[in-house]
Amino acid sequence: MLRKPSSDSTREGGNDFCRQLSGIFSAVFMTREGFSRSITILLIVAMLMYVATGSADVNYLFTRRMFQWTEAEFTRVTTSVTVLQTLASLFLLPALSYKLGVPDPVLGLVATLSSLMAITGIALSETPSHFIIAIVCGVMSPQVSTVIRSLLSTTVPEADLGKVYTLLGCLEAATPLAASPLLTVIYNNSLDTFPGAVYLAEAGFMLVDLVLFLVVITLFTLHQRRYNILAQQ
């Protein structure tokens, strides 16, 4: 016969869960020296804005509506762009970071600008050529999340890093649940008047990211001695 868990063990399990949850939030919001807490929160918000941008993938629907592309044509273009993004991750990012010594916050700013240019260009594209040029401009956009995680590992103590990443992962998974319906409603309601409106909404998310990275760069600069990220080695 199966034994039912005692009330004491259930209570203990609940207390453990509450302690772990409290520890996760404490790792993010606890007061630290300098601007560590502010930078951590700003980076988490920046990541959520970035995730929200890709929550509603309407690129194929957009190209079919605007340019009458077939699925094969769309696949060829997106595959080529994916290859370029992969090459940028393998060669361009290490060259900028290790060879030229570009600081991580500045790389994040460049990647955010790349994404913002691509999204805005897609929204305003009227020909297939304009669309292709726009998405090529976003070759650095996948590096936004890479830079954010790198900066988090710099600002958060190693003992708390796992807790911060746990909270970040949970929020990343929850963000599309809110952003995707919103972007879908915008796309459906603007389809007959301005199909690119959904991309302008996504550009708004990336504009917030741009401001957040500028603030993060400012905070890192103010505490250059502690973080030593913007200092020349």
Side-chain angles (χ1 to χ4, degrees):
M1 177 180 290
L2 295 175
R3 297 178 59 185
K4 293 183 178 180
S6 66
S7 58
D8 289 340
S9 63
T10 302
R11 196 159 41 242
E12 274 185 33
N15 291 337
D16 288 341
F17 175 77
C18 290
R19 280 195 295 270
Q20 292 175 0
L21 191 62
S22 175
I24 289 173
F25 280 96
S26 295
V28 175
F29 296 105
M30 69 184 299
T31 303
R32 291 195 177 95
E33 181 185 349
F35 295 111
S36 293
R37 177 174 63 177
S38 299
I39 292 173
T40 301
I41 294 172
L42 289 174
L43 289 173
I44 290 175
V45 174
M47 178 68 89
L48 299 185
M49 292 294 102
Y50 176 71
V51 171
T53 301
S55 296
D57 188 2
V58 296
N59 286 345
Y60 173 62
L61 298 177
F62 178 79
T63 55
R64 189 173 65 178
R65 172 81 178 191
M66 293 291 294
F67 316 128
Q68 292 75 50
W69 277 9
T70 63
E71 186 175 352
E73 290 173 313
F74 176 78
T75 302
R76 280 197 299 270
V77 172
T78 53
T79 300
S80 300
V81 173
T82 301
V83 171
L84 288 176
Q85 290 175 340
T86 303
L87 292 175
S89 299
L90 292 175
F91 300 107
L92 182 58
L93 184 62
L96 292 174
S97 181
Y98 298 115
K99 297 294 184 181
L100 300 180
V102 179
D104 282 353
V106 177
L107 287 176
L109 186 65
V110 171
T112 302
L113 280 171
S114 173
S115 180
L116 182 59
M117 289 172 57
I119 295 170
T120 305
I122 292 173
L124 302 177
S125 61
E126 297 180 351
T127 66
S129 298
H130 292 163
F131 177 83
I132 293 172
I133 292 172
I135 58 176
V136 169
C137 287
V139 70
M140 284 288 293
S141 57
Q143 309 311 322
V144 174
S145 60
T146 303
V147 170
I148 289 175
R149 293 183 187 279
S150 175
L151 289 172
L152 281 174
S153 68
T154 306
T155 57
V156 178
E158 188 175 350
D160 294 331
L161 195 56
K163 297 175 183 178
V164 173
Y165 280 159
T166 297
L167 178 61
L168 180 62
C170 293
L171 294 176
E172 282 185 76
T175 297
L177 299 178
S180 181
L182 173 63
L183 295 174
T184 301
V185 167
I186 293 174
Y187 178 76
N188 289 335
N189 290 336
S190 62
L191 188 60
D192 294 328
T193 54
F194 179 40
V198 64
Y199 293 104
L200 293 183
E202 292 180 352
F205 291 139
M206 294 311 299
L207 190 60
V208 173
D209 258 11
L210 188 67
V211 174
L212 292 176
F213 268 110
L214 288 173
V215 175
V216 167
I217 289 174
T218 302
L219 295 179
F220 271 121
T221 304
L222 291 175
H223 279 252
Q224 195 171 14
R225 290 183 182 177
R226 173 175 169 79
Y227 301 110
N228 200 29
I229 289 186
L230 295 180
Q232 294 294 330
Q233 299 296 326

